[in-house]
Amino acid sequence: MHRLLLSLLLSLLFLHGAEINSTTTPAVSEENETMQQKRTPAQQEHLNSLSQRLSLLDKESESGGNVWTKIYSSYKTYRELKNRQEWLVAEIFKLKKKKHLSPEEQKQLEAYRQERQTNLGKLQLLEEFQKDPFKKLLEPPKISEPPKIGNPFSIIAAISYIKKLKSDLQVYEENFQSLDSTLRYLKEERTLIKEMLRYQPKSRELRKRLKMIVQEIETLQPTYEIFKTTKEVYQKKVEEIRLKLNEEIKREAEKAATIGVIIVLLFVLLLIFKHLIRKYMSDKESFYTINKVSNFLFITILVLIVLFAYIENVNYMVTILGFASAGIAIAMKDWFMSLMGWFVIVLGGSIHVGDRIKVVRNGTEYVGDVVDISLLRLTIQEDITLTTYMHNRRAGRMIFVPNNYVFTDMIANYSHAGLKTVWDGIDFTITFDSDSTKATHIAKEVAKKYSKGYTDITRKQLNKLRSSYHLKNTNVEPRVFSFIEPYGVRVSVWYLTNAFATLTLRSTISQEILERIREEEGIDLAYPTQSLYLETSASVTARSASPAAEKGGEPA
């Protein structure tokens, strides 16, 4: 709205000036006609050429839409309105001092007051041109704080910052070029008018225009000198910042490239190492563990390289890590303990991928094979075992066990340190009058028959473990025990079996023992029984008549 009113005001002033020029045109034309009669044809031709060049110069200046000329015009208008306002105030003051005003003076006073009020509104619109009208164009763009380049991502911010500096400098130089162009137009126009005054020395229009041009040059020339000095200082400052940022970008890019090459080399070495252990290592469990550890070491080294490369103060980093570790240990106790549990599992070697373990938590038992050991948990695949048969009645689930359970709960390993066998037992009860010696002999013979292979394997494995553990009882032969129970004699036979297939051998041995006992005559299986004795109605009547016969009565 402010700019619209300003444009309307300038248009009115232009029209007012045009009216004045139109009123003076006849006199000027008569003078020109008189002077034209005294000039030679060559002089007239030269004057016409100067006039055409001046018109062409005016068109070029107007087509450029020069901002400096517009600002100067607004500034000049403001000064003229200000002088007119001061004159009006003085005239109004003179009229007010008179005691008696004539009707004409009263009308004049009212006209002065209205004009003063109108000029006051115009001055408010042009208030920004009161002092330093070229200040906004002279002030260079503000240079913000340059970004600090400490990592590869800050390079993008630095490049954007340099582009913004170049853009601001370009706009500032365009303003300077516009001022320079304006002054050249004005000086050329001044030269042309002076040349034309040689042929039209009495032309008021040319003299008035020359005066206005000289005033405008005198106003813009100091501004040009200030602008030139300011631009040079601003250019040097921008160039200094640009060179400094380019140097930092180059250094940071070289640093990032070096780190990238190191990471790529480490990754290639990791791949070669994995390929070699996969090719020459037959033990899949050891390969899995080494693979996990190598991945963890690679990530740890990678993180340390990045931290030491982009943190300038290492002591500060160590302090931060110390406080961070303490905070994690307190706020994320379970997570931190799971991480520590991973170190215990991997470095201690108590549990490996492929081991069969049993986890007891809140009275619930889970038995399965370890399929993964991550930083935070063990993953086991539940199998069909005696536990699932007797308690859970579910199998095939993936059980996730937090690593911190190694500190708080019981975890049993069925296949630790190469042991692939476990003791399993079958119980059955025979009657008291059965041949318990023969029954125990049958149980031991059947167990020995089917567990012989596992017995030999276990014997060899225990011999290897003597160097690591203090083993007292290394007897691996099947064992049979007899116990007196309320319903008979319980026979308990124990044998070694595959830790990963206990139910299969248990079922086979149970079937064999049952068939052998059925073939024997002196062995009967005992189980809880109850005898019921039933009496008929005739026997009950006979029993009730017996007391009467004893007293001397006769039977009916």
Side-chain angles (χ1 to χ4, degrees), residues 234-249:
Y234 181 69
Q235 279 180 331
K236 290 180 181 178
K237 192 171 182 180
V238 168
E239 187 65 18
E240 180 183 352
I241 294 173
R242 188 181 67 81
L243 291 174
K244 184 179 178 181
L245 286 177
N246 284 335
E247 187 66 27
E248 292 181 1
I249 289 172

Side-chain angles (χ1 to χ4, degrees), residues 266-282:
L266 288 175
F267 184 70
V268 170
L269 290 175
L270 178 66
L271 293 179
I272 294 173
F273 176 72
K274 287 185 176 182
H275 175 71
L276 292 176
I277 62 174
R278 186 184 294 109
K279 185 176 181 180
Y280 296 104
M281 184 173 288
S282 58

Side-chain angles (χ1 to χ4, degrees), residues 421-424 443-459 476-479 493-498 505 509:
T421 56
V422 292
W423 287 96
D424 190 20
K444 188 172 184 178
E445 185 179 354
V446 174
K448 193 172 183 179
K449 172 185 174 182
Y450 287 100
S451 66
K452 186 176 185 309
Y454 301 115
T455 301
D456 297 336
I457 293 172
T458 307
R459 185 179 291 110
V476 294
E477 296 298 328
R479 305 174 192 179
V493 57
W494 291 83
Y495 54 91
L496 286 166
T497 183
N498 186 355
L505 190 57
I509 293 176

Side-chain angles (χ1 to χ4, degrees), residues 81-92:
L81 287 173
K82 188 71 174 176
N83 293 333
R84 179 67 178 175
Q85 189 77 347
E86 291 174 356
W87 182 84
L88 288 173
V89 171
E91 291 297 318
I92 292 172

Side-chain angles (χ1 to χ4, degrees), residues 3-109:
R3 293 185 180 274
L4 180 61
L5 292 174
L6 180 59
S7 301
L8 291 173
L9 176 61
L10 293 174
S11 300
L12 290 172
L13 291 171
F14 177 77
L15 292 173
H16 179 67
E19 291 175 0
I20 294 173
N21 291 333
S22 65
T23 56
T24 59
T25 300
V28 174
S29 299
E30 291 176 3
E31 182 182 354
N32 290 340
E33 289 177 2
T34 305
M35 294 296 297
Q36 188 174 359
Q37 293 175 0
K38 297 180 180 180
R39 288 192 290 270
T40 63
Q43 291 176 340
Q44 185 64 37
E45 184 178 356
H46 183 59
L47 181 62
N48 293 336
S49 175
L50 291 174
S51 179
Q52 289 177 1
R53 286 173 58 190
L54 185 61
S55 300
L56 183 62
L57 193 65
D58 290 340
K59 289 180 181 180
E60 290 179 359
S61 179
E62 290 175 2
S63 63
N66 196 292
V67 66
W68 297 94
T69 304
K70 291 180 180 178
I71 292 176
Y72 175 77
S73 176
S74 300
Y75 170 71
K76 184 180 176 182
T77 302
Y78 179 84
R79 298 307 306 168
E80 290 175 354
L81 287 173
K82 188 71 174 176
N83 293 333
R84 179 67 178 175
Q85 189 77 347
E86 291 174 356
W87 182 84
L88 288 173
V89 171
E91 291 297 318
I92 292 172
F93 181 74
K94 288 179 183 179
L95 291 173
K96 280 185 176 180
K97 286 182 67 177
K98 293 183 179 181
K99 293 182 179 181
H100 301 286
L101 296 175
S102 64
E104 292 181 0
E105 290 176 337
Q106 188 70 32
K107 187 182 294 184
Q108 187 68 38
L109 178 62

Side-chain angles (χ1 to χ4, degrees), residues 481-544:
F481 305 96
S482 299
F483 305 100
I484 298 175
E485 298 290 340
Y487 298 104
V489 178
R490 174 167 291 182
V491 179
S492 181
V493 57
W494 291 83
Y495 54 91
L496 286 166
T497 183
N498 186 355
F500 299 90
T502 55
L503 287 183
T504 303
L505 190 57
R506 183 186 182 91
S507 176
T508 302
I509 293 176
S510 298
Q511 189 67 26
E512 181 76 15
I513 291 175
L514 186 59
E515 291 178 358
R516 291 282 299 275
I517 287 176
R518 283 177 178 173
E519 294 175 357
E520 297 294 334
E521 301 239 345
I523 304 174
D524 295 319
L525 293 175
Y527 46 87
T529 59
Q530 191 175 24
S531 299
L532 296 177
Y533 297 95
L534 300 177
E535 296 182 354
T536 61
S537 59
S539 62
V540 173
T541 303
R543 286 183 181 179
S544 62

Side-chain angles (χ1 to χ4, degrees), residues 60-262:
E60 290 179 359
S61 179
E62 290 175 2
S63 63
N66 196 292
V67 66
W68 297 94
T69 304
K70 291 180 180 178
I71 292 176
Y72 175 77
S73 176
S74 300
Y75 170 71
K76 184 180 176 182
T77 302
Y78 179 84
R79 298 307 306 168
E80 290 175 354
L81 287 173
K82 188 71 174 176
N83 293 333
R84 179 67 178 175
Q85 189 77 347
E86 291 174 356
W87 182 84
L88 288 173
V89 171
E91 291 297 318
I92 292 172
F93 181 74
K94 288 179 183 179
L95 291 173
K96 280 185 176 180
K97 286 182 67 177
K98 293 183 179 181
K99 293 182 179 181
H100 301 286
L101 296 175
S102 64
E104 292 181 0
E105 290 176 337
Q106 188 70 32
K107 187 182 294 184
Q108 187 68 38
L109 178 62
E110 187 65 27
Y112 284 163
R113 285 177 175 172
Q114 290 181 0
E115 186 179 357
R116 184 185 66 175
Q117 190 66 28
T118 303
N119 286 348
L120 185 62
K122 295 177 180 179
L123 288 171
Q124 288 177 351
L125 293 174
L126 297 171
E127 190 175 3
E128 61 178 305
F129 302 102
Q130 182 179 1
K131 293 181 180 179
D132 297 330
F134 306 109
K135 183 179 180 181
K136 290 183 179 179
L137 295 176
L138 285 175
E139 285 184 351
K142 185 177 270 186
I143 299 177
S144 58
E145 188 71 21
K148 294 182 179 180
I149 303 176
N151 56 71
F153 299 104
S154 59
I155 294 177
I156 300 174
I159 293 173
S160 300
Y161 182 82
I162 291 174
K163 286 184 178 180
K164 185 179 183 302
L165 284 181
K166 288 182 178 179
S167 175
D168 292 343
L169 179 60
Q170 184 179 359
V171 172
Y172 197 58
E173 287 180 341
E174 287 175 358
N175 290 335
F176 178 77
Q177 294 297 330
S178 175
L179 177 59
D180 183 65
S181 176
T182 301
L183 280 173
R184 281 192 289 103
Y185 277 128
L186 290 172
K187 289 177 181 179
E188 188 176 353
E189 189 175 358
R190 182 183 62 182
T191 303
L192 290 173
I193 293 175
K194 283 183 177 180
E195 186 71 19
M196 292 175 69
L197 281 172
R198 288 174 56 190
Y199 301 102
Q200 296 178 337
K202 296 182 179 181
S203 175
R204 295 180 180 178
E205 182 181 356
L206 288 177
R207 290 185 178 278
K208 182 180 179 182
R209 184 170 179 179
L210 179 62
K211 183 180 179 181
M212 292 173 59
I213 291 173
V214 170
Q215 289 178 351
E216 189 170 355
I217 291 174
E218 289 176 352
T219 303
L220 292 177
Q221 188 64 41
T223 303
Y224 175 82
E225 299 299 331
I226 296 172
F227 202 163
K228 184 177 180 181
T229 305
T230 307
K231 183 178 75 71
E232 291 175 356
V233 174
Y234 181 69
Q235 279 180 331
K236 290 180 181 178
K237 192 171 182 180
V238 168
E239 187 65 18
E240 180 183 352
I241 294 173
R242 188 181 67 81
L243 291 174
K244 184 179 178 181
L245 286 177
N246 284 335
E247 187 66 27
E248 292 181 1
I249 289 172
K250 181 180 177 182
R251 187 180 68 251
E252 189 62 35
E254 291 175 353
K255 183 179 178 181
T258 303
I259 294 173
V261 170
I262 293 173

